[in-house]
């Protein structure tokens, strides 16, 4: 009895240190007859950055898109297994996708601002979720843009069309848009692959800042980027997780031969 | 085939030297230009004819009277030419048509672009376009012999010839135009816009209403205006089902004549060449032309003003 209690205490202590926000359990996914994800099991802890690396077609994008169920936009997709977000299975039929997506936000590969003003882009999310007061919207817009390190560049032209911004600024605007509804998790699907090196650096710095408040999952084909920004890294190959470890260990001392081959540039 | 012995480079050189090839290159643009110029020339010709004969008309009937008088009786002993009853008939029948076509056309476009599966879209869109291919004369007697009797059950006072029934049928006729063009505008909004909004927890309807429609608004408005132009210019349906009463009235259960129907009535035998009635055709035709021109300019202005570039 005493032993059991001790065990429970230990477990709570561990939880407090590093609560698991996203827990993927035996996730399988098919596009029609083709299996894209095989038995994925990954845990993402609160306020940590998890990088997902792997060659093209390894399922990393499919995986990150299943975390906010965007993958279901493809009608051929079939899923088994579970993803527990704060201990609730996101695929459960009572879990509304809208509710999930307000808490698990996403930044896409190509910047995709709406063809509206900078202000309207950031205010869109809060508006559709019922926030109408102009003053509050103003505050949200400013805070989100500040947090996305874009405020100083755009504060004098909030009413101009977002498409007048540079690619890197557009991507930070999309990050601000995601932050505007205060999610817990931010998924980033190769957020810098369409950007120049300086814009990439800015986004990477931003990820470091955002880590203070958000749990981040970032898909990248750039291993240096994974090494720079993440706390833990998962290596995907052919729809499977080959190795999942803290980033320093995975890059300096990989367990699996395939991981070593990939990170040393022998394939991929 | 003696060339076969030559190398590739030599053959290419020889081919470049050919005279008729260079001649073709000069003739083709000329040919293309001529083809394009034919339509320009026709337009100029039509406008000139209209202007010239309209001018003839206004030498006999004062300009002021034509546009302010509500009295139109071209064949009376003391003929009078006020175009207002015709303009009134045209506007009212087009308004009724738009009241039918815009809501139904736009909602079908939303359904097809945002909700329907690929299979349904591929089935429904061609079927709608068949609706656009039905000859207008068929719509005309459909309005007269089918819709009017049905409407009489609801509105017992409805005249055998009335503007309501052809207005509704014209609306049905232009639904495919509105639906098809709006659907094109909406489905050409990039998918990344939908993803961006969905990822913020928007429902499909919120995405449609607040992202897709604003982004496609210029195409949607263009489809409305094209549909209005089509309704204004539509002839057979109103000629058959709305009759030729030249009363100035706002009662949609009564017969009204549109500008187009007036032209039909007069070109099918009533007006002798050179009479005032004959020239009135050109004045009415010119007014009609002016109407559609204005519609197109409005369309251009609106779609430029509301454009959301992506």
């Amino acid at each position: 009895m005493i032993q059991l209690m001790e065990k429970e205490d230990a477990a709570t202590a561990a939880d407090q240190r590093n609560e698991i926000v996203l827990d993927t359990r035996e996730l399988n996914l098919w596009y029609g007859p083709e299996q894209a994800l095989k038995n994925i099991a990954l845990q993402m802890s609160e306020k940590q950055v998890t990088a997902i690396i792997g060659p093209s077609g390894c399922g990393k994008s499919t995986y990150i898109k299943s975390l906010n169920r965007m993958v279901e936009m493809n009608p051929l997709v079939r899923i088994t297994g579970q993803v527990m977000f704060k201990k609730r299975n996101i695929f459960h039929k009572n879990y509304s996708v809208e509710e999930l997506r307000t808490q698990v936000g996403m930044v896409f590969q190509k910047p995709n601002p709406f063809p509206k003003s900078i202000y309207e882009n950031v205010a869109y999310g809060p508006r559709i979720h019922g926030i109408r007061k102009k003053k509050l919207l103003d505050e949200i817009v400013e805070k989100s843009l500040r947090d996305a390190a874009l405020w100083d560049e755009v504060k004098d032209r909030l009413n101009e069309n977002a498409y007048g911004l540079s690619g890197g600024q557009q991507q930070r605007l999309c990050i601000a848009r995601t932050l505007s509804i205060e999610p817990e998790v931010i998924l980033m699907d190769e957020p810098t692959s369409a950007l120049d090196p300086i814009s990439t650096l800015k986004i990477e710095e931003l990820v470091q800042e955002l880590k203070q408040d958000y749990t981040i999952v970032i898909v990248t084909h750039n291993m240096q980027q994974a090494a720079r920004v993440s706390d833990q890294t998962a290596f995907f190959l052919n729809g499977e997780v080959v190795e999942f470890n803290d980033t320093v260990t995975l890059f300096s001392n990989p367990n699996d031969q395939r991981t070593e081959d990939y990170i040393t540039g022998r394939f991929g | 085939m003696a060339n076969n012995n030559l190398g590739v480079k030599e053959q290419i050189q020889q081919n470049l030297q050919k005279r008729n090839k260079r001649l073709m290159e000069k003739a083709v643009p000329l040919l293309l230009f001529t083809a394009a110029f034919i339509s320009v020339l026709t337009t100029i010709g039509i406008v000139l004819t209209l202007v010239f004969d309209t001018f003839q008309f206004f030498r006999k009937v004062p300009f002021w009277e034509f546009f302010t008088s509500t009295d139109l009786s071209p064949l009376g002993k003391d003929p009078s030419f006020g175009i207002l009853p015709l303009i009134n008939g045209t506007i009212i029948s087009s308004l009724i048509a738009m009241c039918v076509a815009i809501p139904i056309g736009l909602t079908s476009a939303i359904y097809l672009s945002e909700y329907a599966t690929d299979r349904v879209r591929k089935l429904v869109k061609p079927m709608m376009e068949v609706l656009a291919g039905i000859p207008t004369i068929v719509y005309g007697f459909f309005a007269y012999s089918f819709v009017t009797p049905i409407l009489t059950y609801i509105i017992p006072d409805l005249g055998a010839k009335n503007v309501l029934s052809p207005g509704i049928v014209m609306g049905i006729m232009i639904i495919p135009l509105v639906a098809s063009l709006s659907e094109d505008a909406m489905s050409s909004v990039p998918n990344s816009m939908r993803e961006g909004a969905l990822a913020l927890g928007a429902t499909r309807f919120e995405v449609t209403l607040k992202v897709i429609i604003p982004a496609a608004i210029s195409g949607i408005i263009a489809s409305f205006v094209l549909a209005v132009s089509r309704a204004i210019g539509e002839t057979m349906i109103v000629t058959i089902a709305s009759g030729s009463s030249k009363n100035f009235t706002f009662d949609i259960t009564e017969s009204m004549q549109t500008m187009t129907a007036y032209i039909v009535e007069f070109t099918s035998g009533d007006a002798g060449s050179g009479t005032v009635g004959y020239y009135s055709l050109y004045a009415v035709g010119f007014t009609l032309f002016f109407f559609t021109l204005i519609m197109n300019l409005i369309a251009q202005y609106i779609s430029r003003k509301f454009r959301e570039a992506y």
Side-chain angles (χ1 to χ4, degrees), chain A residues 11-117:
Chain A
T12 4
D15 278 354
Q16 276 164 356
R17 268 203 311 276
N18 241 347
E19 199 195 335
I20 288 170
V21 178
L22 276 167
D23 184 1
T24 308
R25 298 174 182 171
E26 288 168 36
L27 182 71
N28 288 286
L29 186 147
W30 290 263
Y31 288 114
E34 207 172 316
Q35 187 163 11
L37 296 177
K38 296 166 195 162
N39 269 326
I40 307 292
L42 289 176
Q43 291 78 40
M44 284 132 191
S45 313
E46 196 179 12
K47 293 176 189 171
Q48 298 274 300
V49 179
T50 306
I52 296 172
I53 59 169
S56 306
C58 67
K60 57 191 193 301
S61 255
T62 302
Y63 173 66
I64 200 175
K65 280 187 180 143
S66 51
L67 295 180
N68 67 346
R69 294 176 60 182
M70 287 299 280
V71 77
E72 291 170 16
M73 278 182 79
N74 183 334
L76 296 174
V77 160
R78 198 161 53 83
I79 296 167
T80 65
Q82 296 173 323
V83 173
M84 309 298 282
F85 171 59
K86 299 174 102 185
K87 308 201 162 56
R88 281 173 71 198
N89 181 12
I90 64 167
F91 297 116
H92 192 277
K93 62 182 189 319
N94 290 339
Y95 206 135
S96 91
V97 277
E98 288 82 20
E99 187 194 336
L100 172 70
R101 287 170 188 167
T102 56
Q103 296 176 59
V104 182
M106 184 167 225
V107 176
F108 294 83
Q109 197 166 352
K110 252 184 75 191
N112 60 346
F114 303 131
K116 299 173 186 290
S117 70

Side-chain angles (χ1 to χ4, degrees), chain B residues 37-226:
Chain B
F37 197 64
I38 285 173
S39 66
V40 177
L41 216 65
T42 320
T43 312
I44 293 172
I46 289 174
V47 172
L48 279 182
T49 322
L50 278 177
V51 169
F52 186 73
D53 283 330
T54 304
F55 186 70
Q56 294 288 325
F57 174 76
F58 282 123
R59 277 164 63 178
K60 285 163 186 152
V61 177
F63 191 76
W64 183 250
E65 189 194 311
F66 184 65
F67 283 108
T68 52
S69 166
T70 59
D71 186 17
L72 179 65
S73 50
L75 295 173
K77 267 188 193 145
D78 180 22
S80 63
F81 295 93
I83 199 180
L84 281 184
L86 299 181
I87 291 181
N88 183 52
T90 303
I91 290 177
I92 287 181
S93 60
S94 302
L95 275 180
I96 296 170
M98 294 319 284
C99 288
V100 174
I102 289 183
I104 300 181
L106 191 58
T107 41
S108 345
I110 291 172
Y111 172 71
L112 286 177
S113 156
E114 303 302 313
Y115 288 89
T117 59
D118 266 3
R119 265 183 56 195
V120 173
R121 185 181 13 246
K122 276 184 190 138
L123 208 73
V124 173
K125 235 193 148 182
M127 276 163 70
M128 281 185 91
E129 274 147 19
V130 169
L131 208 60
I134 296 174
T136 57
I137 187 103
V138 176
Y139 277 113
F141 66 71
F142 173 68
Y144 179 62
S145 61
F146 185 75
V147 177
T148 301
I150 287 179
L151 286 174
T152 318
Y153 283 111
I154 308 161
I155 314 163
D157 291 345
L158 195 71
K161 301 266 184 173
N162 63 80
V163 76
L164 181 60
S165 158
I168 292 171
V169 173
M170 262 196 321
I172 295 170
M173 180 188 76
I174 55 184
I175 286 171
L177 190 74
V178 174
S180 180
L181 290 177
S182 302
E183 199 263 335
D184 286 345
M186 281 159 63
S187 46
S188 62
V189 175
N191 228 1
S192 62
M193 302 288 125
R194 293 182 184 84
E195 286 179 346
L198 286 172
L200 287 167
T203 61
R204 253 169 150 182
F205 191 59
E206 285 162 344
V207 176
T208 309
L209 216 60
K210 303 227 175 84
V211 177
I212 305 301
I213 291 182
I217 195 73
S218 57
I220 292 172
I221 289 178
S223 84
F224 292 170
V225 176
L226 264 174

